[in-house]
Amino acid sequence: ISLYRSVVWFTKGLREDTSGYESASKDFVPHDLEVQVPAIVFLVTGGNSGIGKATALEIAKRDGTVHLVCRDQARAEDARGEIIRESGNQNIFLHIVDLSDPKKIWKFVENFKQEHKLHVLINNAGCMVNKRELTEDGLEKNATNTLGVYILTTGLIPVLEKEHDPRVITISSGGMLVQKLNTDDLQSERTAFDGTMVYAQNKRQQVVLTEWWAQGHPAIHFSSMHPGWADTSGVRHAMLGFHVRFRDRLRSEAQGADTVLWLALSSAAAAQPSSRFFQDWKPVSTHLPLTRTSSSPAEEETLIEILEQLAQTFK
């Protein structure tokens, strides 16, 4: 099944257009997000634009302490200033980290563990590179979507476990529904390169990681989610054809962020079983009918082993 056809299927089946969002939102319970969180510390990766920025702003409006982890200094400082101005919350902190660089992630994690506490980690940052490119460390750039999340989350689990009601939310994508976990070619060396499909595979890997972490760390509530197809800079630049065709039906960045907020803030979300995949404030299946995208425990364990070996290489 092509990703394009499956995106259309997923769009229709799970009400991804704006009118569908409005329909879905009728079932939301506004009270779930009517909270103030002055004592809660959040870390949002990719918080300088798109869904990450919209998420950080709404948390700041609720008086949460927000750590923004971003790659671009100038854009990050602009975003921080805007969030402070709009929310009136000064507790917005900036960390410049390239999440495609494993060494820099490890360094950040070690420093953060010594200086800060953390209640909620939101793995939002990601990239979709449409031609095969390598980092300075020889890693395929899209593959860092998985390795970066793995190192950051694994490294911060000990900090999270010290707090009450800790949570990890990973922003995945509906594109992962067309992918079965593939551990044979994490660096995309053996097959014709398709950046969109590689990205979708990364997002499948993130869902598998979420389920694996949930089993091993029951004190933390882990979830992954699909934000809907939102009109973000990432979609505009990496999926131009899709954006041109569906731009009038895409969600706003704020609409894309609302399920992230619900998972990060509400007691109703914490009452859901850990490990689930969410869309529009509800758990949904991680597999489409008849697609045979389920993986075996052995395949999932292989993914973890590969990521752990890679992560330790750069520590």
Side-chain angles (χ1 to χ4, degrees):
I1 302 174
S2 72
L3 178 61
Y4 181 77
R5 288 178 60 195
S6 296
V7 163
V8 174
W9 182 9
F10 192 65
T11 297
K12 291 178 178 177
L14 290 181
R15 307 170 301 181
E16 295 293 45
D17 58 12
T18 302
S19 61
Y21 171 82
E22 292 170 354
S23 175
S25 66
K26 292 178 181 178
D27 295 329
F28 295 173
V29 181
H31 175 73
D32 285 355
L33 293 181
E34 293 173 358
V35 296
Q36 293 296 310
V37 287
I40 307 301
V41 180
F42 301 79
L43 189 154
V44 182
T45 67
N48 62 292
S49 66
I51 290 171
K53 180 181 174 184
T55 298
L57 174 59
E58 291 302 317
I59 292 171
K61 287 179 178 179
R62 292 164 174 80
D63 210 22
T65 295
V66 182
H67 292 270
L68 302 175
V69 174
C70 307
R71 181 175 57 183
D72 186 288
Q73 179 95 37
R75 292 176 62 197
E77 288 178 351
D78 287 345
R80 177 178 180 270
E82 184 178 336
I83 291 169
I84 290 173
R85 286 193 300 273
E86 292 193 23
S87 68
N89 184 346
Q90 297 292 323
N91 293 319
I92 312 299
F93 301 97
L94 187 58
H95 309 270
I96 304 302
V97 185
D98 184 349
L99 293 176
S100 70
D101 188 327
K103 298 188 195 74
K104 291 180 179 178
I105 303 173
W106 278 122
K107 183 177 180 180
F108 165 73
V109 165
E110 291 307 312
N111 290 337
F112 191 92
K113 286 164 64 175
Q114 295 178 26
E115 299 173 4
H116 304 285
K117 62 181 181 178
L118 181 64
H119 298 86
V120 181
L121 169 62
I122 300 174
N123 288 312
N124 166 74
C127 67
M128 185 191 295
V129 181
N130 287 315
K131 62 179 181 178
R132 192 172 189 274
E133 298 179 10
L134 302 181
T135 68
E136 292 181 0
D137 295 308
L139 299 170
E140 192 275 312
K141 287 188 176 180
N142 287 305
T144 60
N145 286 324
T146 304
L147 182 60
V149 167
Y150 179 81
I151 294 174
L152 184 66
T153 305
T154 301
L156 291 176
I157 280 175
V159 185
L160 289 158
E161 288 181 327
K162 295 178 182 178
E163 307 300 333
H164 172 69
D165 191 21
R167 309 184 191 190
V168 176
I169 300 105
T170 299
I171 288 79
S172 181
S173 168
M176 70 92 189
L177 290 166
V178 304
Q179 287 285 308
K180 182 183 186 299
L181 179 65
N182 177 10
T183 60
D184 292 333
D185 191 19
L186 293 189
Q187 295 283 13
S188 305
E189 297 173 299
R190 304 175 192 168
T191 57
F193 190 84
D194 181 334
T196 307
M197 296 301 281
V198 172
Y199 177 84
Q201 174 65 209
N202 299 155
K203 293 303 177 178
R204 168 62 69 186
Q205 292 162 0
Q206 290 178 354
V207 169
V208 170
L209 284 175
T210 295
E211 295 168 347
W212 182 76
W213 281 319
Q215 291 180 4
H217 303 278
I220 302 174
H221 190 277
F222 289 89
S223 58
S224 57
M225 57 82 66
H226 175 47
W229 301 103
D231 192 357
T232 65
S233 59
V235 170
R236 289 192 293 272
H237 293 136
M239 300 178 69
L240 181 59
F242 175 81
H243 183 264
V244 168
R245 178 163 183 176
F246 291 104
R247 60 188 171 190
D248 293 334
R249 298 172 60 190
L250 297 178
R251 299 181 176 197
S252 68
E253 293 170 346
Q255 290 172 336
D258 68 357
T259 296
V260 185
L261 288 166
W262 183 77
L263 289 167
L265 298 173
S266 75
S267 57
Q272 292 280 345
S274 186
S275 84
R276 303 295 291 275
F277 179 71
F278 290 83
Q279 190 225 347
D280 289 340
W281 299 27
K282 294 180 180 179
V284 295
S285 176
T286 56
H287 302 282
L288 290 172
L290 307 177
T291 53
R292 298 182 180 178
T293 52
S294 297
S295 50
S296 69
E299 290 170 321
E300 294 169 2
E301 188 170 334
T302 297
L303 172 67
I304 303 305
E305 290 174 354
I306 293 172
L307 291 174
E308 180 62 18
Q309 289 174 3
L310 274 173
Q312 292 301 321
T313 299
F314 296 103
K315 190 170 185 180

